[in-house]
Amino acid sequence: QLVGSGGRSGRPGRSLRLSCEASGFKFGDYDMSWVRQAPGKGLEWLAHINPSGHDTHYADSVKGRFTISRDNANNSLFLEMNSLRVEDTAVYFCARERYYFRSGAYYYDSWAQGTLVTVSS
Amino acid sequence: EIVLTQSPPTLSLSPGARATLSCRASQDIGLFLAWYQQKPGQAPRLLIYGASNRATGIPARFSGSGSGTDFTLTISSLEPEDFAVYYCHQRTNWPPWTFGQGTKVDFK
């Protein structure tokens, strides 16, 4: 199970930290990602982190502003969001990536419920 | 960046009907495609991975096909719980990983 938290309202330019707490599985064995969904819009992948936390990737829309990290000892995933913009308003999901040997790729097999971030002046 | 284009944007059908959803990639992605279902207020759920493999617990009425740039999700006979938005997603070896804009299946 994944439980996201930390979403709230803020002004443009502010910072916010989202958390995602994992339970029921060995968190440190899995790649993880953050995906967001603006109101009434589709899904957008934002950031990915490997099990050790040493390898990360970002979408261009958040590169340099957002940082994904993890604490395997405490089964937690984080998204540090800096220099927030109005267009960052969205529901943010954390998702577990499972490797499917049959297809040779990773897909999101478990998602948190989503936490809402609203950025407005 | 690989762009995924889904069609149609909305599919209006009745329970029991067959639904055919399309996803086209801007470049060859082999079989690295998944389909997700999302209901209002909920997180997405994985339906199909590797273009044609059903995820755990997904009913047999859902099937995926295609390769390269053209993919299809078929729901053989719509159940009331299938009315939702469906997204395709490409997961090639390198980011950015992208989603289609979604197809909404609603009641006719």
Side-chain angles (χ1 to χ4, degrees), chain A residues 33-80:
Chain A
S33 275
W34 287 96
V35 175
R36 72 182 175 186
Q37 187 169 37
K41 303 297 183 182
L43 302 168
E44 179 187 16
W45 168 78
L46 296 180
H48 160 271
I49 189 167
N50 76 335
S52 70
H54 293 145
D55 186 35
T56 58
H57 300 281
Y58 297 91
D60 286 346
S61 59
V62 303
K63 196 175 295 183
R65 299 189 300 125
F66 290 10
T67 302
I68 188 172
S69 62
R70 64 192 300 161
D71 178 353
N72 288 341
N74 289 297
N75 298 318
S76 294
L77 178 73
F78 305 103
L79 186 68
E80 189 75 39

Side-chain angles (χ1 to χ4, degrees), chain A residues 37 45 97 102 106 108 112, chain B residues 36 38 43 53 87 91 97:
Chain A
Q37 187 169 37
W45 168 78
E97 302 188 19
R102 197 169 180 178
Y106 291 85
Y108 309 122
Chain B
Y36 293 87
Q38 188 180 33
N53 302 289
Y87 294 96
R91 191 55 195 259
W97 298 299

Side-chain angles (χ1 to χ4, degrees), chain B residues 37-56:
Chain B
Q37 176 194 66
Q38 188 180 33
K39 297 179 181 179
Q42 296 185 18
R45 176 175 73 144
L46 179 65
L47 298 176
I48 301 288
Y49 67 91
S52 63
N53 302 289
R54 275 190 302 277
T56 303

